[in-house]
């Protein structure tokens, strides 16, 4: 599919089209897409579809999840009552 004109769409978890446009594959048949997310985008599973212009059926799709950042919240404290278990 190198240099064949194609189109892509990105759908949010609600099934609404977030973005889309024309694209072409590289000479080896690969491609890529940079998507900048916004704070107001809903979390969940997004779908990228690759379509031949004029067709409604995608020839490929990729799903990914957008989640909120959650920092590590686990904290441990160790108290040793007898120091004999410690090596010096």
């Amino acid at each position: 599919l190198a240099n064949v004109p194609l189109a892509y769409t990105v759908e949010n978890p609600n099934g609404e089209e977030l973005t889309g446009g024309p694209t072409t594959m590289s000479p080896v048949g690969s491609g890529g897409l940079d998507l900048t997310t916004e704070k107001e985008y809903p979390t969940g599973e997004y779908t990228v579809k690759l379509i031949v212009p004029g067709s409604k059926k995608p020839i490929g799709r990729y799903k990914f999840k957008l989640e909120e950042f959650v920092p590590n919240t686990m904290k441990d404290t160790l108290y040793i009552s007898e120091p004999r278990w410690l090596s010096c």
Side-chain angles (χ1 to χ4, degrees):
L1 292 173
N3 301 316
V4 173
L6 299 169
Y8 73 92
T9 61
V10 179
E11 293 179 358
N12 69 16
N14 303 323
E16 301 164 336
E17 187 174 319
L18 183 65
T19 187
T23 189
T24 56
M25 296 285 125
S26 74
V28 293
S30 65
L33 170 66
D34 291 325
L35 178 65
T36 303
T37 59
E38 303 292 335
K39 188 175 183 175
E40 58 273 357
Y41 287 1
T43 57
E45 190 173 81
Y46 284 69
T47 305
V48 180
K49 295 178 183 177
L50 191 62
I51 304 163
V52 175
S55 173
K56 293 184 180 185
K57 185 177 179 183
I59 60 171
R61 69 180 70 223
Y62 178 77
K63 294 184 181 224
F64 66 94
K65 290 187 179 185
L66 179 65
E67 299 177 353
E68 291 185 29
F69 173 74
V70 179
N72 293 333
T73 57
M74 184 182 292
K75 180 180 178 181
D76 285 333
T77 304
L78 176 64
Y79 297 101
I80 300 175
S81 61
E82 298 182 43
R84 68 179 181 192
W85 296 105
L86 300 175
S87 66
C88 298

